[in-house]
Each structure stands twice: as structure tokens, then as C-alpha cells.
Amino acid sequence: MFFADKCSRCLYLVLFILVAFLTDTGGTWKRREDKTKCPKVKGIRNFDISEFLGAWYIVQYYASSEEALAYRCMRAELSVSSEKAEVTMNFTYSFTDDPINEQLVGNITWKVPSAVAPAHWIHAEYPYEGVYNTYVLDSDYKSWALLMHCAEKSKSPRYLSSFIMSREPSLGINVISYLREKLPRYDIDLEYMFPMEQKNCTMLDPEAALLLPPSVAIRRPPVGRRHPLKRKHRRT
């Protein structure tokens, strides 16, 4: 009898704690997420990598290391090496605070670890001490695409970034909304998913740049800033 009474009290206590927790969280059970690990992601099914290659404009950009948009005029060209099962992205961009709009270049190379899942890539350059995954979340190949990157580094917060890409300099609002809605499930904060300017992307003529007033020229960004896919981590 004593044992039964004790078990009953324990059961009531567990139920009380559970009800209090659900009330505090709005009636939903929320599992505590490990912010050092990448979320579980599935790339697009039946992905045709050959249709995905070519030129893209980055029309929206997110990175967990960025609390303000630092870039503009970001464009990418994707190619594939069938011999090495590698995908390379060569891209150009400029900094929003550069008065002469210098066009900078960068590149990233990925390995395709499994022919069964060609929409999942792993960075071949290993810029971090850990795994750096890239996923093609969705694409119609001809007009738009959604990429997500996630890096894990030992004893550090994960790094998340995402590109909404378009074959043209702009993309319809309905398509952008459709693609953005796919991101919060992967812990991407849409408040920091910024539109990427794709107008006036020509670099100022070097001779004209020499005529810039000192007050303008001094605002040029420092040499050596990291390119968009090699940013430092911040806690997310």
C-alpha cells in the first residue's frame, strides 16, 4: 500500500511538471536543439546536377555570421568535374560599403559523396576543422534554386548560410516567399535573410576612382576581408 501511494504521488508530480511545461511553451513539445550540430536536411529528390549548372544570380542571402548584409551584386557560375565527382562554384561580388564597387572573386569546390544523393555536397577544401555540408533544397533548374550550407566545427556553434538563386537578376515575390518558407525548419532566421542588390554592378572606372574625394575613398573596405562562404562563426 505504501509503495502504491508513493508511485501515485510520483506520477502526479510528473504530470504536474509536464502540464506546467506545455503551458509555458504554448502547448507544444519542443525538443532542445544542439546548436553545434547541423540540422537533419534532405536535398531535392531526383536531382539532375547537369540541369543545375551554369550562371545564377544570388537574390537573397543569409549567414549566421552576418547581422547586416555586407555584399551586393553576388553572382555564381557552377561547373562539374565528372572525373573527380566535384562541383565548383566560381562567384563574383562586391562589398556594399565600397564606393568604387570593386568586383571580387571567390570559389568553392565540393565533392559529391554519394551518387544516390547528388543534391548533397561536402566541401573539398575543408575550410573548417569538421564537416561543411551543402544541400540543394529545391530548384526548377530554369528559373530558381535554393541552397543551404551548414558547417560543424568541434566545440563551436554551427555555421549556417543559404542562397536564393535566380537565372535572372530578379525573382518573383511569390517564388521568393515559397522558398523562404522552407528555411525556418532548419533554424534559419528569416529576419536576417537579406535581399541581394543586383543593380549598378559595374566597377567604377579606375581613372574616375582616382578623382574620388578623400572622404569617399577612405570608406573603401579593408583588404583581406573573407569572402561570403568563409565567414567566422557567431552563436545562433
Side-chain angles (χ1 to χ4, degrees):
M1 179 66 71
F2 174 77
F3 179 76
D5 290 343
K6 187 175 182 179
C7 287
S8 296
R9 288 195 296 270
C10 290
L11 179 59
Y12 289 142
L13 179 60
V14 170
L15 290 174
F16 175 79
I17 294 173
L18 179 60
V19 170
F21 175 80
L22 291 176
T23 300
D24 186 56
T25 57
T28 58
W29 181 274
K30 294 184 179 180
R31 179 176 58 86
R32 185 180 294 273
E33 188 173 3
D34 184 353
K35 298 292 187 177
T36 66
K37 300 294 184 182
C38 289
K40 293 182 179 180
V41 182
K42 290 185 179 180
I44 185 175
R45 294 182 179 180
N46 303 316
F47 178 62
D48 187 342
I49 196 168
S50 63
E51 292 290 323
F52 190 73
L53 303 177
W56 291 96
Y57 294 86
I58 314 302
V59 295
Q60 292 215 358
Y61 170 84
Y62 168 88
S64 57
S65 63
E66 303 284 345
E67 294 184 346
L69 184 63
Y71 312 104
R72 64 190 308 274
C73 301
M74 193 183 298
R75 301 171 183 182
E77 180 84 25
L78 282 98
S79 59
V80 67
S81 168
S82 56
E83 296 83 6
K84 296 183 179 180
E86 290 183 348
V87 180
T88 296
M89 176 189 283
N90 292 299
F91 56 92
T92 58
Y93 63 99
S94 58
F95 286 104
T96 57
D97 58 355
D98 186 352
I100 73 168
N101 198 35
E102 180 181 5
Q103 300 297 295
L104 305 174
V105 297
N107 64 80
I108 291 288
T109 299
W110 297 276
K111 291 184 179 294
V112 183
S114 172
V116 179
H120 172 216
W121 311 335
I122 297 178
H123 281 55
E125 299 162 336
Y126 297 106
Y128 297 97
E129 298 171 3
V131 179
Y132 198 159
N133 298 285
T134 291
Y135 301 89
V136 183
L137 297 181
D138 204 353
S139 180
D140 73 344
Y141 304 107
K142 296 180 180 180
S143 302
W144 50 263
L146 180 63
L147 258 63
M148 175 183 169
H149 316 281
C150 183
E152 294 179 5
K153 185 177 180 181
S154 179
K155 299 180 180 179
S156 296
R158 66 195 177 190
Y159 169 80
L160 298 173
S161 65
S162 182
F163 294 164
I164 293 179
M165 309 197 306
S166 172
R167 294 293 191 184
E168 301 294 332
S170 61
L171 198 58
I173 295 175
N174 290 342
V175 177
I176 290 177
S177 298
Y178 165 74
L179 296 175
R180 284 171 63 96
E181 288 174 358
K182 295 177 178 290
L183 296 174
R185 73 189 69 174
Y186 304 121
D187 206 32
I188 288 179
D189 187 345
L190 295 182
E191 182 180 354
Y192 299 102
M193 186 79 182
F194 298 108
M196 178 74 65
E197 176 65 52
Q198 290 291 349
K199 297 178 181 178
N200 302 317
C201 292
T202 303
M203 180 178 173
L204 189 64
D205 182 87
E207 293 185 4
L210 294 175
L211 302 177
L212 287 174
S215 60
V216 174
I218 200 173
R219 295 204 307 270
R220 294 213 58 212
V223 176
R225 285 205 280 187
R226 299 185 180 211
H227 72 56
L229 287 180
K230 291 186 178 179
R231 301 296 295 173
K232 295 181 179 179
H233 294 271
R234 74 166 170 83
R235 201 169 290 277
T236 61

